[in-house]
């Protein structure tokens, strides 16, 4: 039986594939850490009455926002624009107006669907990480006023020598049925530590278009891009692909 390589820590995605009879190998290569100084977020919430809305486009940002400003967030009168099912699940109990659609695959699609009139001449807070895509502030420049609160950083996780050897051995004997990636930073960290040679001869899957773009930037072909950036949907897409290839 070939192995599904999952470039991420074990979670519901891994559990679904394993429960459906697939051999899985997890390889976490990045982690997110809150910044030591969150003054910028606290200062923004001191002026929350001046904000028309907040953008949250990652689960890491959502977790820190709730942990740091949960009480104030419940009193916030503006809208919270949320990208990603995991982010929505973290924020949905807050009680404020949450704008979310599970069909949005990325921030550009969210902004396109809502339209510029939704944001024109308003003031927003963008809660993000150091390496977050700049689609929201770049696209809304000149349309709305955007204040950024960088609340977390993405750090590489070192792959053990034992796991490196196991993965390289699987690549050499074509023992990986598909390799699954969940973020551009995960793609870069894996490539830096393992190399791209094995990936070049292995079917690859991405949870979203930005992750797929990071792989294509390394001249890698992408076989599967999830229809929606949700773990359960991604797992279903992976299984359909592998069934069709059998």
């Amino acid at each position: 039986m070939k192995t599904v390589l999952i470039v991420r820590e074990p979670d519901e995605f891994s559990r679904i594939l394993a429960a459906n009879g697939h051999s899985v190998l997890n390889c976490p290569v990045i982690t997110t850490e809150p910044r030591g100084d969150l003054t910028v977020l606290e200062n923004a919430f001191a002026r929350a009455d001046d904000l028309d809305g907040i953008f949250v486009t990652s689960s890491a940002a959502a977790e820190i926002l709730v942990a740091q400003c949960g009480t104030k967030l419940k009193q916030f009168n503006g809208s919270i624009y949320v990208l990603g099912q995991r982010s929505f699940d973290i924020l949905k109990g807050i009680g404020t107006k949450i704008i979310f659609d599970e069909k949005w695959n990325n921030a550009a699609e969210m902004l396109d669907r809502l339209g510029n009139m939704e944001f024109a001449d308003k003031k927003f807070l963008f809660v993000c990480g150091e390496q977050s895509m700049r689609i929201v502030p770049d696209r809304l420049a000149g349309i709305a006023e955007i204040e950024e609160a960088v609340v977390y950083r993405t750090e590489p996780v070192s792959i053990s020598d034992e796991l490196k050897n196991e993965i390289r051995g699987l690549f050499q004997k074509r023992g990986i049925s598909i390799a699954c990636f969940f973020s551009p930073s995960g793609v870069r960290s894996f490539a830096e530590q393992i190399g791209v040679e094995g990936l070049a001869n292995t079917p690859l899957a991405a949870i979203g278009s930005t992750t797929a773009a990071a792989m294509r930037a390394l001249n890698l072909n992408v076989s599967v891009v999830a229809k929606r950036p949700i773990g359960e949907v991604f797992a279903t897409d992976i299984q359909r692909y592998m069934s069709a290839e059998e």
Side-chain angles (χ1 to χ4, degrees):
M1 177 187 295
K2 287 188 175 183
T3 297
V4 178
L5 176 61
I6 301 173
V7 185
R8 185 173 176 159
E9 70 281 352
D11 60 4
E12 183 66 9
F13 177 81
S14 304
R15 189 202 65 77
I16 292 171
L17 291 177
N20 282 277
H22 300 284
S23 172
V24 303
L25 176 62
N26 287 91
C27 178
V29 294
I30 58 170
T31 186
T32 57
E33 297 289 342
R35 293 186 68 177
D37 183 3
L38 295 174
T39 304
V40 64
L41 182 60
E42 295 168 0
N43 289 343
F45 264 86
R47 306 184 301 275
D49 289 344
D50 296 331
L51 294 173
D52 294 293
I54 301 171
F55 285 97
V56 181
T57 59
S58 72
S59 59
E63 288 174 349
I64 295 168
L65 179 62
V66 171
Q68 195 74 15
C69 304
T71 300
K72 294 178 180 178
L73 200 60
K74 291 180 180 179
Q75 301 168 356
F76 181 62
N77 293 320
S79 300
I80 303 181
Y81 298 86
V82 179
L83 181 66
Q85 185 68 50
R86 294 175 72 183
S87 300
F88 174 71
D89 289 341
I90 293 166
L91 289 161
K92 64 183 178 183
I94 290 298
T96 190
K97 183 181 179 183
I98 294 180
I99 311 299
F100 168 75
D101 190 327
E102 64 179 15
K103 295 179 182 178
W104 294 334
N105 290 308
N106 51 56
E109 190 170 310
M110 174 179 67
L111 296 176
D112 287 341
R113 295 289 178 87
L114 292 171
N116 288 347
M117 291 303 296
E118 173 81 11
F119 312 111
D121 301 319
K122 295 180 181 179
K123 186 173 182 178
F124 299 94
L125 177 67
F126 178 37
V127 184
C128 58
E130 290 180 350
Q131 297 183 36
S132 293
M133 302 290 288
R134 297 195 49 79
I135 293 171
V136 170
D138 289 350
R139 287 281 299 271
L140 294 183
I143 297 170
E145 184 178 346
I146 305 292
E147 180 178 359
E148 296 183 49
V150 178
V151 298
Y152 69 91
R153 62 184 181 274
T154 301
E155 299 285 352
V157 172
S158 296
I159 306 172
S160 69
D161 290 339
E162 181 181 1
L163 185 53
K164 283 181 181 179
N165 291 335
E166 181 178 1
I167 291 171
R168 286 170 176 154
L170 287 169
F171 279 144
Q172 288 177 356
K173 61 185 180 183
R174 302 292 178 92
I176 295 176
S177 55
I178 193 163
C180 308
F181 289 84
F182 294 79
S183 69
S185 52
V187 171
R188 290 189 290 268
S189 180
F190 184 91
E192 288 169 1
Q193 296 190 67
I194 300 288
V196 297
E197 294 80 6
L199 295 175
N201 298 309
T202 301
L204 306 178
I207 198 168
S209 57
T210 55
T211 302
M215 287 192 276
R216 293 180 181 124
L218 296 174
N219 296 317
L220 297 171
N221 295 319
V222 184
S223 300
V224 179
V225 179
K227 292 182 176 65
R228 298 205 307 275
I230 302 171
E232 292 83 350
V233 175
F234 192 21
T236 298
D237 292 341
I238 293 293
Q239 291 181 94
R240 286 175 178 165
Y241 171 80
M242 290 192 294
S243 295
E245 291 296 302
E246 291 178 354

